[in-house]
Amino acid sequence: KSTMLLQAAHNYIERGMACVLLTAALDTRAGEGKISSRIGLSMPAHTFKDQDDLFTRLATDLEAERFACVFVDEAQFLSKEQVWQLARFVDEYGIPVMCYGLRVDFRGDLFPGSAALLALADEMREVREREGEGAHAGGARARTHAYVCAHVYMLPAGAHRMLRTTCCAPHAAHH
């Protein structure tokens, strides 16, 4: 999933569009403030903690520098409130937020951030990965339950994607 995120971010940058990358502060496997894949790709990222107000943070960042997309890695670690903050950001600024993370933990229980994303995302795609000997597409390993949630609809257009933002504002009034 991180490889997919990094590739999508690269596509934006390649077309001259800035993007913001976020990852959970508690994920320091590749070093603090870094998204990396198992195949060696990596990019610097801002970190988030469960108490951070991501709407305010992104709105402030947008005042300083215009960007075209937000990518969130390890999105399972978002709080429910942060997922609503991201949805509000999409609705108010029309900038897509793409979240990549695991759906369930090793026991098969939904992460709270994943549950909120699965409920609010305009689009969700499951990412299947093979992990070592004996792994299969329907396997119960945590990595086979990764997802990409987006507050956008993605329409194929060759090697790149055209984005059309959508709105969940009627539901945001409750949060």
Side-chain angles (χ1 to χ4, degrees):
K1 64 184 174 36
S2 295
T3 301
M4 293 173 58
L5 180 154
L6 293 168
Q7 181 179 0
H10 172 78
N11 289 342
Y12 273 86
I13 295 165
E14 181 181 59
R15 293 184 295 172
M17 296 186 285
C19 52
V20 172
L21 277 66
L22 297 171
T23 191
L26 58 88
D27 181 18
T28 58
R29 291 173 294 172
E32 189 173 334
K34 191 176 194 181
I35 297 172
S36 69
S37 70
R38 291 181 301 204
I39 63 169
L41 302 173
S42 67
M43 291 179 116
H46 301 284
T47 59
F48 66 86
K49 296 178 181 166
D50 59 357
Q51 71 276 11
D52 291 348
D53 181 339
L54 296 180
F55 175 84
T56 301
R57 182 178 185 175
L58 291 170
T60 301
D61 288 351
L62 191 58
E63 288 176 15
E65 180 182 358
R66 185 79 184 152
F67 51 87
C69 189
V70 177
F71 292 93
V72 181
D73 197 28
E74 303 300 339
Q76 70 270 15
F77 298 121
L78 292 166
S79 69
K80 181 179 179 180
E81 293 77 21
Q82 287 172 321
V83 173
W84 278 102
Q85 292 162 8
L86 292 173
R88 179 179 165 212
F89 180 80
V90 170
D91 292 341
E92 290 192 21
Y93 291 97
I95 295 174
V97 174
M98 310 282 275
C99 298
Y100 296 70
L102 298 178
R103 183 170 30 116
V104 296
D105 64 16
F106 69 95
R107 298 169 298 200
D109 295 330
L110 279 171
F111 287 97
S114 300
L117 282 164
L118 293 169
L120 290 175
D122 295 316
E123 181 179 317
M124 194 276 299
R125 278 186 270 158
E126 191 163 32
V127 177
R128 300 282 185 171
E129 293 181 347
R130 293 185 58 88
E131 210 182 83
E133 205 56 39
H136 56 87
R141 296 179 191 259
R143 288 199 183 276
T144 65
H145 299 288
Y147 62 85
V148 178
C149 287
H151 293 286
V152 295
Y153 286 117
M154 303 202 60
L155 308 169
H160 300 294
R161 304 273 184 218
M162 293 172 44
L163 304 175
R164 179 172 63 92
T165 60
T166 60
C167 179
C168 59
H171 308 289
H174 300 290
H175 291 276

